[in-house]
Amino acid sequence: MYLSENKVKYIFHHLWQHVRIHNLEPHSIIIVNDCKEIPPYLENKIIFIQSSQAHPEPFEIIFHGKKIPILFGTKDPNGEIYHFDTKGNLIFRHDLLSSAFYLLSGQQEIEVEQKDQHGRFPFELSIQKKLNFVHLPVVNYYFEIITEGLETFAQNHNKKIDRLRLFDSFAFFLSHDVDRIAFHHPFYVLYRLKQFLGLSPSNLSKSKIINLFFQGLGYNLNPFKKEDPWWNFGKLINLEKKLGIRSTYFFLKREDGFKNSLYHYKNKKIKSLISTLKKEGFEVGLHGTYRSAEDGQNLSFQKQEFETATGTKSIGIRQHYLRFSHPHTFKLQSNAGLIYDTSLAFAEHDGYRNGYCLPFHPYDFETDQMMQIWEIPLVMMEVSVLNYRQASFEELKQAVNHYIQEARKFGGLFSLLWHNCRINDIETPGISEFYTKLLESIIEEKPQSLRGMDIYKRASTFEQRPPSDIFKLI
Ligand SMILES: [Zn+2]
């Protein structure tokens, strides 16, 4: 895949946030298409060979003992990843630039037309699933390979080179999508009755359903009732404050029947919750409704409504159901004035949808250029692990440990979405205790606990553009 000049620029832009070589002469980096020979006049250059393959033809290489899939390039996995020729040129033989572009820009999502029932890019059809690497931030590995090559080049040519890390250790970004706030809402109580009568579908036993129905009925009739199990914000806030966590809460408005929430932004309870969260130092943002991923007017209207009702500007968004049309949804979000999105994970599997464990800019394929909006990739949503994958608490914990190790390796982030309505012992016995212990164990790893807005601010202050004449395509 021969990348356009802007696409190469996009990759170097992101690479530049990891490594910077000083005093490089203009056009020190040369991109050569594999249909040509490397011109004999090139000396002391950094050369990347671009593969002519139109689609990925993956193979594996071993890098520091780890198997890393390369998507485009010369099919000689035993050959060196890079080498120096007699003229002082550093030559990368595999097409790491196209491989990185394919994943980071989300190009695979443009190529696959099939979507799941919610209009989402299905994990089943992803290259991550096919090659079993969703658990690896492979773009970070590609950048690491390039960085090592550049370090040797800098040493050979007496150039100063800096390695950079966005976070000293790693960042932990915890967030909550506030989809549902009343477990015993009369709508659900009635729904359970319908389930018991066989009028609505259910995967619970009849006795469990009728038990829940009576609990709900009792709850609604009790004048001295305790807090609803889904109105657990006091507990969440206290736990996070105790552990020094500052998280982000995304609020979803009522719209289109029951596809979204059962509350409005202007509800007294919601307004008061939002003001408490803000006072306590948490971030509040927009949880875009089901329809908003495809409907720009709807999204802009929602943002205005949120801001008018709560007096808070929302700079970040997560789309409900992780619905996302890539890169169309990014454009709608940008137009609505949003600064970052944090929806990009596969709904059905935790891991790295864009192969990257740091904030990044998406790519606009229509205008062939990098977009300004930021994506803070979502690494794990609890529903993906516990429901879609049907994994146990212990497996979830192991996966978290793994993602933390990857984040630490690259000064990146581990982001975790946990719905408030999934911390309910009536539905999932033992989950409150597990969740508490999980957060404690994450904090023991000494991350920087940051809200989405802090991550965006850090990434944008840290960001530098590479010199515009750094590379040349020949
Ligand atoms: Zn949601």
Side-chain angles (χ1 to χ4, degrees):
M1 181 172 77
Y2 298 147
L3 299 175
S4 68
E5 192 167 332
N6 276 356
K7 291 188 173 89
V8 175
K9 211 194 233 176
Y10 173 74
I11 291 304
F12 280 121
H13 181 93
H14 287 90
L15 178 66
W16 205 245
Q17 316 314 320
H18 297 264
V19 60
R20 289 171 197 166
I21 310 190
H22 301 268
N23 308 321
L24 269 187
E25 281 105 50
H27 303 150
S28 286
I29 301 175
I30 303 289
I31 320 287
V32 185
N33 293 346
D34 65 356
C35 58
K36 296 180 193 158
E37 292 293 319
I38 295 176
Y41 56 84
L42 292 182
E43 283 177 10
N44 304 323
K45 299 284 186 194
I46 299 155
I47 300 173
F48 288 89
I49 315 274
Q50 282 222 78
S51 159
S52 56
Q53 292 158 7
H55 300 287
E57 292 182 30
F59 58 93
E60 270 177 348
I61 56 160
I62 306 289
F63 178 63
H64 292 298
K66 215 172 189 102
K67 282 184 188 167
I68 305 293
I70 304 284
L71 308 185
F72 296 90
T74 19
K75 277 193 172 173
D76 179 9
N78 299 319
E80 287 165 287
I81 305 170
Y82 56 82
H83 70 277
F84 286 86
D85 69 6
T86 51
K87 294 175 185 164
N89 293 313
L90 160 65
I91 302 168
F92 291 95
R93 357 181 9 256
H94 302 311
D95 192 352
L96 298 171
L97 303 181
S98 296
S99 302
F101 183 84
Y102 190 78
L103 292 168
L104 192 64
S105 72
Q107 186 175 338
Q108 65 163 335
E109 307 192 19
I110 308 284
E111 290 178 355
V112 176
E113 279 181 13
Q114 228 172 308
K115 303 275 189 259
D116 75 0
Q117 80 267 33
H118 297 297
R120 304 177 296 200
F121 175 59
F123 173 64
E124 271 307 306
L125 302 182
S126 72
I127 194 154
Q128 281 95 332
K129 158 84 183 175
K130 196 168 140 200
L131 304 176
N132 189 24
F133 71 86
V134 72
H135 57 291
L136 289 180
V138 289
V139 174
N140 291 94
Y141 282 94
Y142 297 154
F143 286 172
E144 181 59 29
I145 294 171
I146 297 174
T147 302
E148 288 192 5
L150 294 180
E151 279 178 330
T152 319
F153 179 87
Q155 216 172 28
N156 294 352
H157 293 85
N158 268 326
K159 301 261 181 220
K160 187 171 165 333
I161 187 166
D162 289 328
R163 264 178 181 271
L164 302 112
R165 286 169 74 89
L166 186 59
F167 303 108
D168 294 337
S169 171
F170 72 100
F172 172 46
F173 172 29
L174 175 66
S175 60
H176 308 284
D177 292 354
V178 184
D179 290 351
R180 301 182 291 176
I181 55 169
F183 182 63
H184 294 311
H185 190 288
F187 165 75
Y188 295 122
V189 179
L190 202 66
Y191 188 75
R192 280 165 208 141
L193 183 63
K194 280 188 179 166
Q195 284 178 315
F196 180 73
L197 298 173
L199 301 172
S200 291
S202 167
N203 30 22
L204 296 176
S205 68
K206 288 272 179 200
S207 62
K208 175 104 185 169
I209 295 169
I210 200 69
N211 189 352
L212 286 176
F213 167 74
F214 280 115
Q215 271 190 45
L217 202 61
Y219 180 88
N220 280 290
L221 296 174
N222 182 356
F224 308 106
K225 51 180 165 270
K226 290 191 286 183
E227 286 293 15
D228 185 279
W230 285 348
W231 191 267
N232 46 11
F233 301 103
K235 282 185 208 152
L236 297 188
I237 292 172
N238 286 339
L239 173 64
E240 290 171 20
K241 276 176 68 184
K242 194 180 99 193
L243 296 174
I245 296 173
R246 285 291 176 271
S247 63
T248 304
Y249 289 72
F250 294 104
F251 288 86
L252 176 73
K253 74 171 214 150
R254 185 170 189 157
E255 188 184 88
D256 289 342
F258 299 106
K259 264 197 179 124
N260 298 296
S261 79
L262 295 181
Y263 65 81
H264 290 286
Y265 291 147
K266 57 177 190 290
N267 281 10
K268 245 194 187 159
K269 246 182 137 177
I270 291 293
K271 279 168 75 170
S272 143
L273 170 63
I274 288 179
S275 110
T276 307
L277 286 168
K278 277 164 56 188
K279 230 183 291 157
E280 298 285 2
F282 295 91
E283 179 186 7
V284 292
L286 204 64
H287 192 31
T289 56
Y290 193 90
R291 199 189 332 159
S292 72
E294 309 280 354
D295 183 340
Q297 218 178 355
N298 173 279
L299 181 63
S300 296
F301 182 67
Q302 224 167 98
K303 182 166 178 284
Q304 275 165 21
E305 201 181 308
F306 177 82
E307 294 179 356
T308 315
T310 65
T312 309
K313 204 170 154 44
S314 169
I315 66 160
I317 183 164
R318 172 165 303 117
Q319 297 292 151
H320 187 39
Y321 274 68
L322 309 184
R323 284 187 93 232
F324 213 92
S325 277
H326 192 81
H328 180 60
T329 307
F330 278 127
K331 290 192 186 179
L332 306 184
Q333 295 172 337
S334 290
N335 292 342
L338 290 150
I339 293 178
Y340 79 84
D341 170 80
T342 178
S343 309
L344 288 187
F346 291 107
E348 316 92 309
H349 209 292
D350 40 304
Y352 304 98
R353 177 154 161 182
N354 296 74
Y356 202 48
C357 66
L358 282 158
F360 65 95
H361 293 289
Y363 201 78
D364 182 343
F365 291 85
E366 279 162 24
T367 57
D368 193 33
Q369 60 186 338
M370 183 170 90
M371 296 169 96
Q372 287 311 305
I373 192 169
W374 286 90
E375 172 63 24
I376 305 178
L378 174 61
V379 179
M380 182 189 279
M381 161 168 86
E382 95 288 357
V383 181
S384 313
V385 185
L386 298 176
N387 297 58
Y388 283 97
R389 282 218 277 134
Q390 292 281 310
S392 65
F393 285 168
E394 186 46 40
E395 285 165 321
L396 185 145
K397 172 89 188 352
Q398 281 170 9
V400 167
N401 291 343
H402 164 79
Y403 295 125
I404 288 177
Q405 279 174 32
E406 293 299 327
R408 206 198 299 274
K409 228 178 262 175
F410 301 107
L413 64 93
F414 167 60
S415 45
L416 173 67
L417 153 58
W418 208 291
H419 292 81
N420 64 294
C421 64
R422 299 277 173 176
I423 310 171
N424 176 7
D425 292 314
I426 300 178
E427 281 180 295
T428 318
I431 195 143
S432 306
E433 195 191 341
F434 171 73
Y435 176 72
T436 304
K437 290 207 165 129
L438 180 73
L439 288 193
E440 285 169 357
S441 72
I442 294 172
I443 292 308
E444 276 169 23
E445 299 291 328
K446 304 211 178 330
Q448 274 179 272
S449 167
L450 298 172
R451 304 163 299 180
M453 62 192 283
D454 306 317
I455 293 173
Y456 146 70
K457 275 186 201 150
R458 172 107 184 100
S460 57
T461 346
F462 185 84
E463 186 174 39
Q464 271 190 29
R465 287 177 187 279
S468 57
D469 55 3
I470 192 174
F471 72 88
K472 194 176 170 188
L473 292 161
I474 59 169

